[in-house]
Coordinates of all heavy atoms in Angstrom, one line a residue:
L147 N -108.0 -99.8 -101.3 CA -107.0 -99.8 -102.3 C -107.5 -100.5 -103.6 O -107.9 -101.6 -103.5 CB -105.7 -100.5 -101.8 CG -105.2 -100.1 -100.4 CD1 -103.9 -100.9 -100.1 CD2 -104.9 -98.6 -100.3
I148 N -107.6 -99.7 -104.7 CA -108.2 -100.2 -105.9 C -107.1 -100.2 -107.0 O -106.5 -99.2 -107.3 CB -109.4 -99.4 -106.3 CG1 -110.4 -99.4 -105.2 CG2 -110.0 -99.9 -107.6 CD1 -111.6 -98.5 -105.4
T149 N -106.8 -101.4 -107.5 CA -105.6 -101.5 -108.4 C -105.9 -102.0 -109.8 O -106.9 -102.7 -110.0 CB -104.6 -102.4 -107.7 OG1 -105.2 -103.7 -107.4 CG2 -104.0 -101.8 -106.4
P150 N -105.1 -101.6 -110.8 CA -105.3 -102.0 -112.2 C -104.6 -103.4 -112.5 O -104.0 -103.9 -111.7 CB -104.6 -100.9 -112.9 CG -103.4 -100.6 -112.1 CD -103.9 -100.8 -110.7
W151 N -104.8 -103.8 -113.8 CA -104.3 -105.1 -114.1 C -102.9 -105.1 -114.6 O -102.3 -106.2 -114.7 CB -105.2 -105.7 -115.3 CG -105.4 -104.8 -116.5 CD1 -106.5 -104.1 -116.7 CD2 -104.5 -104.6 -117.5 NE1 -106.4 -103.4 -117.9 CE2 -105.1 -103.7 -118.4 CE3 -103.2 -105.0 -117.9 CZ2 -104.5 -103.2 -119.6 CZ3 -102.6 -104.5 -119.0 CH2 -103.3 -103.7 -119.9
N152 N -102.3 -104.0 -114.9 CA -101.0 -104.0 -115.6 C -99.8 -104.3 -114.7 O -98.7 -104.7 -115.2 CB -100.8 -102.8 -116.5 CG -100.7 -101.5 -115.6 OD1 -101.2 -101.4 -114.6 ND2 -99.9 -100.6 -116.1
F153 N -99.9 -104.0 -113.4 CA -98.8 -104.4 -112.5 C -99.5 -105.2 -111.3 O -99.8 -104.7 -110.3 CB -98.0 -103.3 -111.9 CG -97.0 -102.7 -112.9 CD1 -97.4 -101.7 -113.8 CD2 -95.8 -103.2 -113.0 CE1 -96.5 -101.2 -114.7 CE2 -94.9 -102.7 -114.0 CZ -95.2 -101.7 -114.8
I157 N -98.2 -102.9 -107.9 CA -99.1 -101.8 -107.4 C -99.8 -102.2 -106.2 O -99.8 -101.4 -105.2 CB -100.0 -101.4 -108.6 CG1 -99.2 -100.7 -109.7 CG2 -101.0 -100.3 -108.1 CD1 -99.9 -100.2 -110.9
W160 N -97.2 -101.6 -103.5 CA -96.8 -100.2 -103.1 C -97.9 -99.4 -102.5 O -97.7 -98.3 -102.0 CB -96.1 -99.5 -104.3 CG -96.8 -98.8 -105.4 CD1 -97.8 -97.9 -105.3 CD2 -96.5 -98.9 -106.8 NE1 -98.2 -97.5 -106.6 CE2 -97.4 -98.1 -107.5 CE3 -95.5 -99.6 -107.5 CZ2 -97.3 -97.9 -108.9 CZ3 -95.5 -99.5 -108.9 CH2 -96.4 -98.7 -109.6
K161 N -99.1 -100.0 -102.4 CA -100.2 -99.4 -101.6 C -100.3 -100.1 -100.3 O -100.4 -99.4 -99.2 CB -101.5 -99.4 -102.4 CG -101.6 -98.6 -103.7 CD -102.9 -98.7 -104.3 CE -102.9 -98.1 -105.7 NZ -102.7 -96.7 -105.8
K175 N -108.9 -104.2 -103.4 CA -109.8 -104.7 -104.5 C -108.9 -104.7 -105.8 O -108.7 -103.7 -106.4 CB -111.0 -103.8 -104.7 CG -112.1 -104.6 -105.3 CD -112.6 -104.3 -106.7 CE -112.0 -103.8 -107.8 NZ -111.8 -104.7 -108.9
P176 N -108.4 -105.9 -106.2 CA -107.5 -105.9 -107.4 C -108.4 -105.9 -108.6 O -109.6 -106.1 -108.6 CB -106.8 -107.2 -107.2 CG -107.7 -108.1 -106.4 CD -108.5 -107.2 -105.5
A177 N -107.7 -105.7 -109.8 CA -108.4 -105.7 -111.1 C -109.0 -107.1 -111.4 O -108.3 -108.1 -111.0 CB -107.5 -105.3 -112.2
E178 N -110.1 -107.2 -112.0 CA -110.8 -108.5 -112.3 C -109.9 -109.4 -113.2 O -110.0 -110.6 -113.0 CB -112.1 -108.2 -113.1 CG -113.2 -107.5 -112.3 CD -113.2 -106.0 -112.5 OE1 -112.1 -105.4 -112.5 OE2 -114.3 -105.5 -112.8
L179 N -109.1 -108.8 -114.0 CA -108.3 -109.6 -115.0 C -107.1 -110.3 -114.3 O -106.6 -111.3 -114.8 CB -107.7 -108.7 -116.1 CG -108.6 -108.3 -117.2 CD1 -107.9 -107.3 -118.1 CD2 -109.0 -109.6 -118.0
V180 N -106.7 -109.9 -113.1 CA -105.4 -110.4 -112.5 C -105.6 -110.7 -111.0 O -104.8 -110.2 -110.2 CB -104.2 -109.5 -112.8 CG1 -103.8 -109.5 -114.2 CG2 -104.5 -108.1 -112.3
G206 N -113.3 -109.0 -107.4 CA -114.6 -108.8 -108.1 C -114.7 -107.5 -108.9 O -113.8 -106.8 -109.1
S207 N -116.0 -107.2 -109.1 CA -116.3 -106.0 -110.1 C -116.0 -104.7 -109.4 O -116.4 -104.4 -108.3 CB -117.8 -106.1 -110.4 OG -118.3 -104.9 -110.7
G208 N -115.3 -103.8 -110.2 CA -115.1 -102.5 -109.8 C -116.3 -101.7 -109.6 O -116.5 -101.0 -108.6
R209 N -117.2 -101.9 -110.6 CA -118.5 -101.1 -110.5 C -119.3 -101.4 -109.3 O -120.0 -100.6 -108.7 CB -119.3 -101.3 -111.8 CG -119.4 -100.0 -112.6 CD -120.0 -100.3 -113.9 NE -119.3 -101.4 -114.6 CZ -119.9 -102.3 -115.5 NH1 -121.2 -102.2 -115.7 NH2 -119.2 -103.2 -116.0
V210 N -119.2 -102.7 -108.8 CA -120.0 -103.0 -107.7 C -119.3 -102.8 -106.4 O -119.6 -102.0 -105.6 CB -120.5 -104.5 -107.8 CG1 -121.3 -105.0 -106.6 CG2 -121.3 -104.7 -109.1
I211 N -118.2 -103.6 -106.2 CA -117.5 -103.5 -104.8 C -116.5 -102.4 -104.7 O -116.4 -101.8 -103.7 CB -116.9 -104.9 -104.5 CG1 -115.8 -105.3 -105.5 CG2 -117.9 -105.9 -104.2 CD1 -115.1 -106.5 -105.0
G212 N -115.9 -102.0 -105.9 CA -115.0 -100.8 -105.8 C -115.9 -99.6 -105.5 O -115.5 -98.8 -104.6
D213 N -117.0 -99.5 -106.1 CA -117.9 -98.3 -105.9 C -118.3 -98.3 -104.4 O -118.4 -97.3 -103.8 CB -119.0 -98.4 -106.9 CG -119.9 -97.1 -106.8 OD1 -119.3 -96.1 -107.2 OD2 -121.0 -97.2 -106.5
A214 N -118.7 -99.5 -103.9 CA -119.1 -99.6 -102.5 C -118.0 -99.1 -101.5 O -118.3 -98.5 -100.5 CB -119.6 -101.0 -102.2
M215 N -116.8 -99.5 -101.8 CA -115.7 -99.0 -101.0 C -115.5 -97.5 -101.0 O -115.4 -96.8 -100.0 CB -114.3 -99.6 -101.5 CG -114.2 -101.1 -101.1 SD -113.0 -102.0 -102.1 CE -111.5 -101.1 -101.7
V216 N -115.6 -97.0 -102.3 CA -115.5 -95.5 -102.5 C -116.6 -94.8 -101.7 O -116.3 -93.7 -101.1 CB -115.5 -95.2 -104.0 CG1 -115.7 -93.7 -104.2 CG2 -114.3 -95.8 -104.7
N217 N -117.8 -95.3 -101.7 CA -118.9 -94.6 -101.1 C -119.2 -94.9 -99.6 O -120.1 -94.4 -99.0 CB -120.2 -94.8 -101.9 CG -120.0 -94.0 -103.2 OD1 -119.8 -92.8 -103.2 ND2 -120.1 -94.7 -104.3
I224 N -109.2 -93.5 -100.2 CA -109.1 -94.4 -101.3 C -107.8 -94.1 -102.1 O -107.6 -92.9 -102.4 CB -110.3 -94.2 -102.3 CG1 -111.6 -94.7 -101.6 CG2 -110.1 -95.0 -103.6 CD1 -111.9 -96.1 -101.4
F226 N -106.3 -95.1 -105.6 CA -106.7 -95.8 -106.8 C -105.6 -95.6 -107.9 O -105.0 -94.5 -108.0 CB -108.0 -95.0 -107.3 CG -108.4 -95.4 -108.7 CD1 -109.1 -96.5 -109.0 CD2 -108.0 -94.5 -109.8 CE1 -109.5 -96.8 -110.3 CE2 -108.3 -94.9 -111.1 CZ -109.1 -96.0 -111.3
T227 N -105.4 -96.7 -108.6 CA -104.6 -96.6 -109.8 C -105.4 -97.2 -111.0 O -105.9 -98.4 -110.8 CB -103.2 -97.3 -109.7 OG1 -102.5 -96.8 -108.6 CG2 -102.4 -97.2 -111.0
G228 N -105.6 -96.5 -112.0 CA -106.4 -97.1 -113.2 C -106.6 -96.0 -114.2 O -105.8 -95.1 -114.4
S229 N -107.8 -96.1 -114.8 CA -108.0 -95.2 -116.0 C -108.6 -93.9 -115.5 O -109.1 -93.7 -114.4 CB -109.0 -95.9 -116.9 OG -110.2 -96.2 -116.2
V230 N -108.5 -92.9 -116.4 CA -108.9 -91.5 -116.1 C -110.4 -91.4 -115.7 O -110.7 -90.8 -114.7 CB -108.5 -90.6 -117.2 CG1 -109.0 -89.2 -117.0 CG2 -107.0 -90.6 -117.5
G231 N -111.2 -92.0 -116.5 CA -112.6 -91.9 -116.4 C -113.1 -92.4 -115.0 O -113.8 -91.7 -114.2
V232 N -112.6 -93.6 -114.6 CA -113.0 -94.2 -113.3 C -112.4 -93.3 -112.2 O -113.1 -93.0 -111.2 CB -112.5 -95.6 -113.2 CG1 -112.7 -96.2 -111.8 CG2 -113.2 -96.5 -114.3
G233 N -111.1 -92.9 -112.4 CA -110.4 -92.2 -111.3 C -111.2 -90.9 -111.0 O -111.4 -90.5 -109.8
Q235 N -114.3 -90.1 -111.4 CA -115.5 -90.3 -110.7 C -115.3 -90.7 -109.2 O -116.0 -90.2 -108.3 CB -116.3 -91.4 -111.4 CG -117.8 -91.5 -110.9 CD -118.5 -90.2 -111.0 OE1 -118.5 -89.5 -112.0 NE2 -119.1 -89.8 -109.9
I236 N -114.2 -91.4 -109.0 CA -113.9 -91.8 -107.6 C -113.5 -90.5 -106.8 O -114.0 -90.4 -105.7 CB -112.7 -92.8 -107.6 CG1 -113.2 -94.2 -108.1 CG2 -112.0 -92.9 -106.2 CD1 -112.2 -95.3 -108.2
N239 N -116.7 -88.7 -105.8 CA -117.4 -89.3 -104.8 C -116.7 -89.2 -103.4 O -117.3 -89.0 -102.4 CB -117.6 -90.8 -105.1 CG -118.5 -91.0 -106.3 OD1 -119.2 -90.1 -106.7 ND2 -118.5 -92.2 -106.9
L249 N -105.0 -90.5 -106.7 CA -105.2 -91.2 -108.0 C -104.0 -91.2 -108.8 O -103.3 -90.2 -108.9 CB -106.3 -90.4 -108.8 CG -107.6 -90.0 -108.1 CD1 -108.4 -89.1 -109.1 CD2 -108.4 -91.2 -107.8
E250 N -103.7 -92.4 -109.4 CA -102.6 -92.4 -110.4 C -103.3 -93.0 -111.7 O -104.0 -94.1 -111.6 CB -101.5 -93.4 -110.0 CG -100.6 -92.8 -108.9 CD -99.9 -91.6 -109.3 OE1 -99.8 -91.3 -110.6 OE2 -99.4 -90.8 -108.4
M251 N -103.3 -92.2 -112.8 CA -104.1 -92.6 -113.9 C -103.2 -92.7 -115.2 O -102.1 -93.1 -115.2 CB -105.2 -91.6 -114.0 CG -106.1 -91.7 -112.7 SD -107.4 -90.5 -112.7 CE -106.5 -89.0 -112.6
G252 N -103.8 -92.2 -116.3 CA -103.2 -92.5 -117.6 C -102.0 -91.6 -117.9 O -101.6 -90.8 -117.1
G253 N -101.5 -91.8 -119.1 CA -100.4 -91.0 -119.6 C -100.3 -91.0 -121.1 O -101.0 -91.8 -121.8
K254 N -99.6 -90.0 -121.6 CA -99.3 -90.0 -123.1 C -97.9 -89.5 -123.1 O -97.6 -88.4 -123.5 CB -100.3 -89.1 -123.8 CG -100.1 -89.3 -125.4 CD -100.7 -90.6 -125.9 CE -100.3 -90.8 -127.3 NZ -100.7 -92.2 -127.8
N255 N -97.0 -90.4 -122.6 CA -95.6 -89.9 -122.2 C -94.8 -89.7 -123.5 O -94.6 -90.5 -124.3 CB -95.0 -91.0 -121.3 CG -95.9 -91.3 -120.2 OD1 -96.3 -90.5 -119.4 ND2 -96.3 -92.6 -120.1
Q282 N -97.9 -101.9 -122.1 CA -99.0 -101.8 -121.1 C -98.5 -101.2 -119.8 O -98.8 -101.8 -118.7 CB -99.6 -103.1 -121.0 CG -100.3 -103.6 -122.3 CD -100.9 -105.0 -122.2 OE1 -101.8 -105.3 -123.0 NE2 -100.3 -105.9 -121.4
R283 N -97.7 -100.2 -119.9 CA -97.2 -99.5 -118.6 C -97.7 -98.1 -118.7 O -97.6 -97.4 -119.7 CB -95.7 -99.6 -118.6 CG -95.1 -101.0 -118.4 CD -93.6 -101.0 -118.3 NE -92.9 -100.8 -119.5 CZ -91.6 -101.0 -119.7 NH1 -90.9 -101.4 -118.8 NH2 -91.1 -100.7 -120.9
C284 N -98.1 -97.6 -117.5 CA -98.6 -96.2 -117.5 C -97.5 -95.2 -117.9 O -97.7 -94.1 -118.3 CB -99.2 -95.9 -116.1 SG -98.1 -96.4 -114.8
T285 N -96.2 -95.7 -117.7 CA -95.1 -94.8 -118.0 C -94.5 -95.1 -119.4 O -93.5 -94.5 -119.7 CB -94.0 -95.0 -116.9 OG1 -93.8 -96.4 -116.7 CG2 -94.3 -94.4 -115.6
V327 N -103.1 -108.1 -122.9 CA -103.8 -108.7 -121.7 C -105.1 -109.4 -122.0 O -105.5 -110.4 -121.3 CB -103.9 -107.7 -120.5 CG1 -105.0 -106.7 -120.8 CG2 -104.1 -108.4 -119.2
Q331 N -108.7 -105.2 -124.7 CA -107.5 -104.4 -124.9 C -107.0 -104.5 -126.3 O -106.6 -103.6 -127.0 CB -106.4 -104.7 -123.9 CG -105.2 -103.8 -123.9 CD -105.5 -102.3 -123.6 OE1 -106.2 -102.0 -122.7 NE2 -105.1 -101.4 -124.5
Q334 N -109.0 -102.5 -128.6 CA -108.7 -101.1 -128.4 C -107.4 -100.8 -129.2 O -107.3 -99.8 -129.9 CB -108.5 -100.7 -127.0 CG -107.9 -99.3 -126.8 CD -108.2 -98.7 -125.4 OE1 -109.3 -98.8 -124.9 NE2 -107.2 -98.1 -124.8
E383 N -104.3 -92.0 -124.9 CA -103.6 -93.1 -124.3 C -104.1 -94.4 -125.0 O -105.3 -94.6 -125.1 CB -103.8 -93.3 -122.8 CG -103.0 -94.5 -122.2 CD -103.2 -94.6 -120.7 OE1 -104.4 -94.7 -120.3 OE2 -102.2 -94.7 -120.0
F385 N -102.4 -97.6 -124.7 CA -102.1 -98.7 -123.7 C -101.8 -100.0 -124.3 O -102.2 -101.1 -123.8 CB -103.2 -98.8 -122.6 CG -102.7 -99.0 -121.2 CD1 -101.8 -98.1 -120.7 CD2 -103.1 -100.1 -120.5 CE1 -101.2 -98.3 -119.4 CE2 -102.5 -100.3 -119.2 CZ -101.6 -99.4 -118.7
F409 N -101.9 -84.9 -120.1 CA -101.3 -85.8 -119.1 C -99.9 -85.3 -118.7 O -99.4 -84.3 -119.3 CB -101.1 -87.2 -119.7 CG -102.4 -87.9 -120.1 CD1 -102.7 -88.1 -121.4 CD2 -103.3 -88.3 -119.1 CE1 -103.9 -88.8 -121.7 CE2 -104.5 -88.9 -119.4 CZ -104.8 -89.2 -120.7
L411 N -97.3 -87.7 -116.7 CA -96.7 -88.7 -115.8 C -95.2 -88.8 -116.0 O -94.5 -88.5 -115.0 CB -97.4 -90.1 -116.1 CG -97.0 -91.2 -115.1 CD1 -97.4 -90.8 -113.7 CD2 -97.8 -92.5 -115.5
M434 N -92.2 -87.2 -113.6 CA -91.0 -88.0 -113.6 C -90.3 -87.7 -115.0 O -90.9 -87.8 -116.0 CB -91.3 -89.5 -113.5 CG -91.8 -89.8 -112.1 SD -92.3 -91.4 -111.8 CE -93.8 -91.6 -112.8
F450 N -93.3 -91.6 -106.8 CA -93.8 -91.9 -108.1 C -95.1 -91.2 -108.3 O -96.0 -91.2 -107.4 CB -94.1 -93.4 -108.1 CG -94.7 -93.9 -109.4 CD1 -93.9 -94.4 -110.4 CD2 -96.1 -93.8 -109.6 CE1 -94.5 -94.8 -111.6 CE2 -96.6 -94.3 -110.8 CZ -95.8 -94.8 -111.8
G451 N -95.2 -90.5 -109.4 CA -96.5 -89.9 -109.7 C -96.4 -88.8 -110.8 O -95.3 -88.5 -111.2
G452 N -97.5 -88.3 -111.2 CA -97.5 -87.3 -112.3 C -98.2 -86.0 -112.0 O -98.5 -85.7 -110.8
S456 N -102.8 -86.9 -115.1 CA -102.3 -88.2 -114.8 C -102.4 -88.6 -113.3 O -102.5 -89.7 -113.0 CB -100.8 -88.3 -115.1 OG -100.6 -88.3 -116.5
S457 N -102.4 -87.6 -112.5 CA -102.4 -87.9 -111.0 C -103.2 -86.9 -110.2 O -103.4 -85.7 -110.7 CB -101.0 -87.9 -110.5 OG -100.2 -88.8 -111.2
E462 N -97.1 -91.4 -104.4 CA -97.0 -92.8 -103.8 C -95.5 -93.1 -103.7 O -94.7 -92.5 -104.4 CB -97.6 -93.8 -104.8 CG -99.1 -93.5 -104.9 CD -99.8 -94.8 -105.4 OE1 -100.1 -95.7 -104.6 OE2 -100.1 -94.8 -106.6
Q463 N -95.2 -94.1 -102.9 CA -93.8 -94.7 -102.8 C -92.8 -93.8 -102.1 O -92.9 -92.6 -102.0 CB -93.3 -95.1 -104.2 CG -94.3 -96.1 -104.9 CD -93.7 -96.8 -106.0 OE1 -92.7 -97.5 -105.9 NE2 -94.3 -96.7 -107.2
Ligands
NAD1 P1 -109.7 -99.3 -114.8 O1 -109.9 -97.9 -114.4 O2 -110.6 -100.0 -115.7 O3 -109.7 -100.3 -113.4 C1 -108.8 -100.0 -112.4 C2 -109.5 -100.6 -111.1 O4 -110.7 -99.8 -110.8 C3 -109.9 -102.0 -111.2 O5 -109.7 -102.7 -110.0 C4 -111.4 -101.9 -111.5 O6 -112.1 -103.0 -111.1 C5 -111.7 -100.7 -110.6 N1 -113.0 -100.0 -111.0 C6 -113.6 -100.0 -112.2 N2 -114.7 -99.2 -112.1 C7 -114.8 -98.8 -110.9 C8 -115.8 -98.0 -110.2 N3 -116.8 -97.5 -110.8 N4 -115.6 -97.7 -108.9 C9 -114.5 -98.2 -108.2 N5 -113.5 -99.0 -108.8 C10 -113.7 -99.3 -110.1 O7 -108.1 -99.4 -115.3 P2 -107.4 -100.7 -115.9 O8 -107.9 -100.9 -117.2 O9 -107.3 -101.8 -114.9 O10 -105.9 -100.1 -116.0 C11 -105.4 -99.4 -117.0 C12 -105.2 -97.9 -116.7 O11 -104.5 -97.8 -115.5 C13 -104.5 -97.2 -117.8 O12 -105.2 -95.9 -118.0 C14 -103.2 -96.9 -117.2 O13 -102.5 -95.7 -117.6 C15 -103.5 -96.8 -115.7 N6 -102.4 -97.0 -114.9 C16 -101.8 -95.9 -114.2 C17 -100.7 -96.1 -113.4 C18 -100.1 -94.9 -112.7 O14 -99.4 -95.1 -111.7 N7 -100.3 -93.7 -113.2 C19 -100.2 -97.4 -113.2 C20 -100.7 -98.4 -113.9 C21 -101.9 -98.2 -114.7

Side-chain angles (χ1 to χ4, degrees):
L147 310 180
I148 302 177
T149 55
W151 50 260
N152 65 331
F153 283 93
I157 293 181
W160 82 50
K161 295 183 191 295
K175 207 249 24 110
E178 294 95 312
L179 280 173
V180 292
S207 153
R209 246 171 307 148
V210 180
I211 59 171
D213 190 61
M215 285 160 61
V216 168
N217 289 305
I224 294 286
F226 167 87
T227 302
S229 59
V230 174
V232 174
Q235 193 51 51
I236 287 177
N239 293 344
L249 310 174
E250 286 300 340
M251 302 177 288
K254 191 71 189 172
N255 308 300
Q282 298 175 150
R283 293 184 285 193
C284 49
T285 46
V327 73
Q331 185 61 49
Q334 169 156 319
E383 183 180 53
F385 219 56
F409 298 110
L411 188 58
M434 295 174 291
F450 176 95
S456 291
S457 301
E462 298 200 78
Q463 302 195 58

